[in-house]
Amino acid sequence: MDKVFIEGLEIPALIGIYDWERRIRQTLVFDLEMGFDNRHPAASDNIEHTLNYKAVSKRLIEFVGQSDFGLVETLAERCAAIVLEEFAVSWLRLKLSKPGAVRGARAVGVIIERSRPTD
């Protein structure tokens, strides 16, 4: 399976369960791997035929920037659903990191894998 990836996408967001977290925007870091057949866009050399990672990034920046979830798990699920439903992605691996959330750790977060339901 071919993959298109976005690595280290930093998006400020309101996220967390503690009062102090609800008052400040924290930078979250997203890494995505998306299953996409690259043969057609490679043959045509036409951006119209490919998975436009800039469009995916802009959509996630818009959504996450307006979101207000308590858990990174919830945000990760919502972001995965957006990518699967709005873009021609068959499979997705999404890593959502919350830097500085735990003293002594570079980051914490979740990694999820989701697939588009088959008919």
Side-chain angles (χ1 to χ4, degrees):
M1 174 187 301
D2 301 328
K3 297 177 186 173
V4 174
F5 72 91
I6 300 169
E7 186 174 289
L9 180 62
E10 296 183 2
I11 308 174
L14 280 177
I15 188 91
I17 58 170
Y18 300 109
D19 289 340
W20 70 267
E21 292 179 300
R22 310 305 298 159
R23 293 190 298 267
I24 62 167
R25 296 183 86 64
Q26 300 173 70
T27 300
L28 303 176
V29 181
F30 290 78
D31 296 315
L32 294 92
E33 292 180 7
M34 300 164 282
F36 185 81
D37 187 344
N38 283 311
R39 290 176 290 190
H40 183 59
S44 70
D45 197 32
N46 185 337
I47 195 164
E48 298 288 324
H49 300 149
T50 194
L51 172 58
N52 186 333
Y53 45 79
K54 184 174 182 177
V56 174
S57 298
K58 285 177 72 171
R59 179 65 176 102
L60 291 178
I61 290 167
E62 173 191 14
F63 177 76
V64 173
Q66 296 174 5
S67 69
D68 187 15
F69 298 107
L71 301 176
V72 293
E73 291 85 349
T74 306
L75 180 57
E77 287 292 340
R78 298 301 196 298
C79 289
I82 286 170
V83 174
L84 289 170
E85 292 169 10
E86 297 181 16
F87 299 91
V89 171
S90 59
W91 170 87
L92 167 74
R93 179 179 185 268
L94 185 148
K95 177 181 176 184
L96 193 168
S97 301
K98 190 175 177 184
V102 173
R103 182 176 294 167
R106 182 177 307 127
V108 298
V110 296
I111 299 172
I112 63 172
E113 293 185 19
R114 301 292 177 265
S115 299
R116 179 186 300 272
T118 56
D119 297 330

